[in-house]
């Protein structure tokens, strides 16, 4: 991992810090995620499925996809009851 020094406008830093606080993350973590997203979106040699694969794997604020699907299916009601 490398450290870099870059100039970022004060207004952007304020917004970044507010976002980091809402997410419960550090400023550095938010910057790393932003760079990863930027690189994925600007990759020339990958199709859209490859670009998106694993993009949210480090997200801790969403639940398990299978559990979500099961919960959605359990909530379905037959149209006859409408």
């Amino acid at each position: 991992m490398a450290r870099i020094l870059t100039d970022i406008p004060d207004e952007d830093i304020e917004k970044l810090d507010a976002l980091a606080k809402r997410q419960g993350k550090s400023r550095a973590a938010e910057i790393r995620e932003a760079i990863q997203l930027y690189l994925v979106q600007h990759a020339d040699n990958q199709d859209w499925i490859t670009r998106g694969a694993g993009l949210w794997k480090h997200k801790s604020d969403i639940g398990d996809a299978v559990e979500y699907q099961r919960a959605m299916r359990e909530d379905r009601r037959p149209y006859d009851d409408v």
Side-chain angles (χ1 to χ4, degrees), residues 22-80:
R22 282 194 308 272
Q23 299 290 331
K25 298 178 184 176
S26 67
R27 179 191 295 169
E30 291 293 340
I31 292 171
R32 282 190 296 270
E33 283 187 24
I35 291 171
Q36 287 174 346
L37 181 58
Y38 179 85
L39 292 174
V40 167
Q41 290 175 340
H42 291 85
D44 291 341
N45 58 354
Q46 297 177 340
D47 62 40
W48 67 272
I49 293 175
T50 305
R51 287 194 315 264
L55 189 60
W56 288 13
K57 69 182 175 184
H58 299 295
K59 299 283 278 177
S60 60
D61 59 335
I62 58 175
D64 180 68
V66 175
E67 290 177 19
Y68 175 79
Q69 290 173 14
R70 287 183 182 142
M72 292 297 292
R73 289 182 184 124
E74 290 172 6
D75 194 39
R76 289 188 182 170
R77 294 176 180 85
Y79 290 105
D80 297 344

Side-chain angles (χ1 to χ4, degrees), residues 4-19:
I4 63 166
L5 178 63
T6 186
D7 294 322
I8 300 173
D10 291 339
E11 182 179 315
D12 290 344
I13 291 294
E14 290 172 10
K15 291 176 183 177
L16 180 62
D17 287 345
L19 176 64

